[in-house]
Amino acid sequence: MSEALTPETPEAVLDEAADEAGEEEPIKQRKNGLYPGVSDELAESMKSGWADTELRGLAPIAQAEHTAARRAALSARFPGERLVIPAGNLKTRSNDTEYPFRASVEYAYLTGNLTEDGVLVLEPAAEGHKATIYLLPRSNRENGEFWLSGQGELWVGRRHSLAEAEQLYGIPASDVRELPAALKEATGPVRVVRGYDASIEAALTDKVTGEHDDELRVFLSEARLVKDEFEAGELQKAVDSTVRGFEDVVKVLDKAEATSERFIEGTFFLRARVEGNDIGYGSICASGPHACTLHWVRNDGPVRSGDLLLLDAGVETHTLYTADVTRTLPVNGTYSEIQKKIYDAVYDAQEAGIAAVKPGAKYRDFHDAAQHVLAERLVEWGLLEGPVERVLELGLQRRWTLHGTGHMLGMDVHDCAAARTETYVEGTLEPGMCLTVEPGLYFQADDLTVPEEYRGIGVRIEDDLLVTEDGNRNLSAGLPRRSDEVEAWMASLKG
């Protein structure tokens, strides 16, 4: 990583840059740089000789029509109120390096813009609201920001100009550096999505309340419960790439055996970065008894022939929609008798859960259906004393099933999390909802209540379901689920 040129930039240059950029502080400089300073001649040279790179005639982003409709729904819900939705800021990883930026879901959902420091503001108008997207403009060439600042164009890449942003997102654009001062002077009711931008919240500190702000977040969470046509298409793209990522992993299991779970993690990550924006969440590459740890993301264990590999992973698209798929695979390509017994029980439970996903059904129905099957098997195997209804009433199966059978899916892997309980867990399924169905059985390696042959075996099967008018569509049907089909699929890939 290159060392910045900026440590000893003359104060006069920095002060001028700060004044022209409207900043209170000079451009931040890195200590211990190798250049003694910036000569007047160099500073003058850097101001000129650059081609006009403004982009004109840009087409709107693919989801612009949908984001406009979402903003209209938001406007109708909160008439007469100023609404402020930030994207968030860069977060420091260590010293002067930052984590990759990911815009807040609320902001991305309403704008389609994914850059840091952006803020969407809906100002009350005579009819509805006037939307403005506040962004950082292109870094300034006159004051040297574009090459002196660590976030300047020559260091981190070109930003869109405000004029370009207006074309892309279909929203009037303004300089975000002017927004905090404007918000401090704002009057009337205001709501802000909290937790993303401290400077915006500080500007509104005497104008907002936590209760009112929570209502805004809840509305935006519930708005995402039903996906529009664009969102459903993005989720299918995410799943399709994920299917290819799982195929990639199966093809290199021999290399994973020679190294560790990290090889599996890296293999899937390559597919996610080539075809999408990133992974949607930390990949769970759990081999052997690690499969019994629900969110095993250390991925530093051995991969052994004869063990199971629980791979729970999802590609995130460039528009931030993520898949969430799990398969539990025999590393050597063939399930042992006890592995198949447990796997087939989970498969049967998932089949029951999937069958319960349909419009008009209660959200809980798929969970209850899957849990009933798992409880039946645990009673049949003598691990629990029946009847099954007693087991379910007391939740005794949870010792080995642990988690719920699914969740909403979208721009967050656990999407719509701020929705009210009555509209989510206690709600009714509608066409356009997307959820996972993912039952599991996990027999911990130190569980003395089960026969030794069960211990250290964890199985989860997870698919992404889109509720349709007449039932559901399994977006991840491209990956085999039945045990014999999994074995045949793995054999064909290993070739």
Side-chain angles (χ1 to χ4, degrees):
M1 184 175 184
S2 299
E3 184 181 26
L5 298 173
T6 57
E8 292 87 19
T9 306
E11 289 299 320
V13 176
L14 296 179
D15 291 341
E16 179 187 359
D19 291 341
E20 293 187 24
E23 299 171 343
E24 295 181 1
E25 298 291 334
I27 296 172
K28 186 178 180 180
Q29 305 303 296
R30 182 181 289 151
K31 189 177 181 181
N32 293 321
L34 295 176
Y35 282 91
V38 176
S39 67
D40 292 341
E41 290 79 5
L42 176 57
E44 191 63 31
S45 170
M46 292 298 287
K47 290 182 179 180
S48 60
W50 305 101
D52 177 10
T53 58
E54 181 74 8
L55 304 176
R56 299 172 177 84
L58 295 174
I61 59 172
Q63 67 267 44
E65 179 181 343
H66 297 283
T67 55
R70 297 167 194 167
R71 293 192 299 275
L74 177 61
S75 172
R77 171 62 180 81
F78 298 104
E81 301 185 45
R82 180 177 284 102
L83 308 174
V84 182
I85 302 94
N89 316 123
L90 289 170
K91 290 183 171 60
T92 299
R93 180 178 184 270
S94 179
N95 188 27
D96 57 356
T97 61
E98 291 85 21
Y99 288 105
F101 179 74
R102 190 186 191 275
S104 75
V105 166
E106 294 85 356
Y107 175 85
Y109 177 75
L110 292 168
T111 66
N113 176 260
L114 305 179
T115 56
E116 66 269 17
D117 300 326
V119 184
L120 173 68
V121 177
L122 271 61
E123 296 276 355
E127 295 184 6
H129 288 78
K130 176 189 175 184
T132 303
I133 188 169
Y134 288 86
L135 301 167
L136 285 171
R138 288 191 64 185
S139 48
N140 196 314
R141 289 181 182 264
E142 279 299 309
N143 67 13
E145 178 194 359
F146 79 111
W147 72 287
L148 293 174
S149 169
Q151 293 299 319
E153 186 170 306
L154 296 194
W155 289 101
V156 298
R158 182 188 190 278
R159 294 191 292 263
H160 282 298
S161 70
L162 298 181
E164 292 168 353
E166 291 186 357
Q167 298 173 66
L168 290 169
Y169 307 112
I171 313 171
S174 293
D175 190 335
V176 71
R177 294 172 296 188
E178 302 168 357
L179 182 59
L183 290 177
K184 287 180 181 179
E185 302 300 320
T187 59
V190 184
R191 298 180 193 254
V192 62
V193 177
R194 294 176 181 255
Y196 297 118
D197 194 318
S199 66
I200 296 299
E201 291 181 36
L204 295 170
T205 187
D206 60 340
K207 299 179 175 65
V208 296
T209 67
E211 181 182 355
H212 285 176
D213 292 345
D214 285 345
E215 290 176 358
L216 173 58
R217 183 185 290 274
V218 167
F219 174 82
L220 290 172
S221 197
E222 292 183 0
R224 302 198 308 276
L225 283 168
V226 176
K227 271 60 180 177
D228 59 36
E229 182 182 356
F230 176 84
E231 292 179 290
E234 290 301 293
L235 285 164
Q236 186 65 70
K237 288 180 187 176
V239 171
D240 291 345
S241 290
T242 299
V243 168
R244 290 188 282 273
F246 274 65
E247 292 172 348
D248 296 339
V249 167
V250 172
K251 291 175 182 177
V252 299
L253 279 177
D254 57 333
K255 294 182 174 63
E257 287 187 65
T259 51
S260 75
E261 295 163 340
R262 291 284 168 92
F263 200 94
I264 294 167
E265 178 183 352
T267 298
F268 187 84
F269 181 70
L270 177 61
R271 177 66 65 173
R273 286 293 281 168
V274 168
E275 295 193 1
N277 175 59
D278 207 329
I279 49 175
Y281 53 96
S283 298
I284 299 168
C285 309
S287 183
H290 287 164
C292 299
T293 301
L294 298 186
H295 288 166
W296 177 260
V297 293
R298 299 178 199 172
N299 299 335
D300 58 0
V303 178
R304 299 188 178 100
S305 179
D307 282 347
L308 295 178
L309 166 67
L310 190 157
L311 178 58
D312 183 337
V315 172
E316 177 185 81
T317 67
H318 294 291
T319 55
L320 306 188
Y321 290 85
T322 185
D324 182 8
V325 178
T326 306
R327 290 294 183 269
T328 306
L329 312 172
V331 173
N332 63 12
T334 304
Y335 295 101
S336 70
E337 183 177 348
I338 184 64
Q339 290 169 350
K340 186 175 186 300
K341 173 183 174 180
I342 296 169
Y343 184 95
D344 288 348
V346 175
Y347 171 81
D348 290 343
Q350 194 199 28
E351 282 284 274
I354 290 174
V357 175
K358 54 190 173 184
K362 293 296 184 183
Y363 175 83
R364 286 183 175 273
D365 288 352
F366 77 93
H367 169 72
D368 293 341
Q371 290 293 302
H372 197 280
V373 172
L374 294 178
E376 285 178 339
R377 298 303 168 86
L378 292 168
V379 171
E380 287 175 16
W381 298 341
L383 302 182
L384 288 173
E385 181 181 347
V388 170
E389 287 68 26
R390 168 185 170 273
V391 169
L392 292 169
E393 181 182 357
L394 299 176
L396 301 180
Q397 83 285 359
R398 291 182 63 186
R399 180 182 178 101
W400 301 291
T401 66
L402 294 174
H403 56 79
T405 310
H407 52 81
M408 291 295 181
L409 184 67
M411 298 181 86
D412 279 327
V413 65
H414 298 140
D415 206 26
C416 313
R420 292 168 296 170
T421 301
E422 57 265 33
T423 61
Y424 189 156
V425 174
E426 302 297 343
T428 301
L429 295 180
E430 301 177 36
M433 289 182 169
C434 188
L435 62 148
T436 68
V437 179
E438 50 173 314
L441 283 173
Y442 312 91
F443 298 101
Q444 304 298 326
D446 59 351
D447 189 347
L448 302 181
T449 69
V450 300
E452 187 175 356
E453 63 177 351
Y454 286 74
R455 297 174 198 166
I457 294 178
V459 173
R460 180 163 65 251
I461 312 171
E462 178 180 19
D463 285 87
D464 301 343
L465 280 292
L466 180 70
V467 182
T468 61
E469 295 289 344
D470 57 356
N472 68 69
R473 185 168 86 244
N474 186 347
L475 302 180
S476 45
L479 281 177
R481 291 186 297 121
R482 209 173 64 202
S483 56
D484 60 335
E485 293 176 341
V486 169
E487 291 175 338
W489 169 71
M490 293 182 69
S492 69
L493 290 173
K494 290 184 176 182

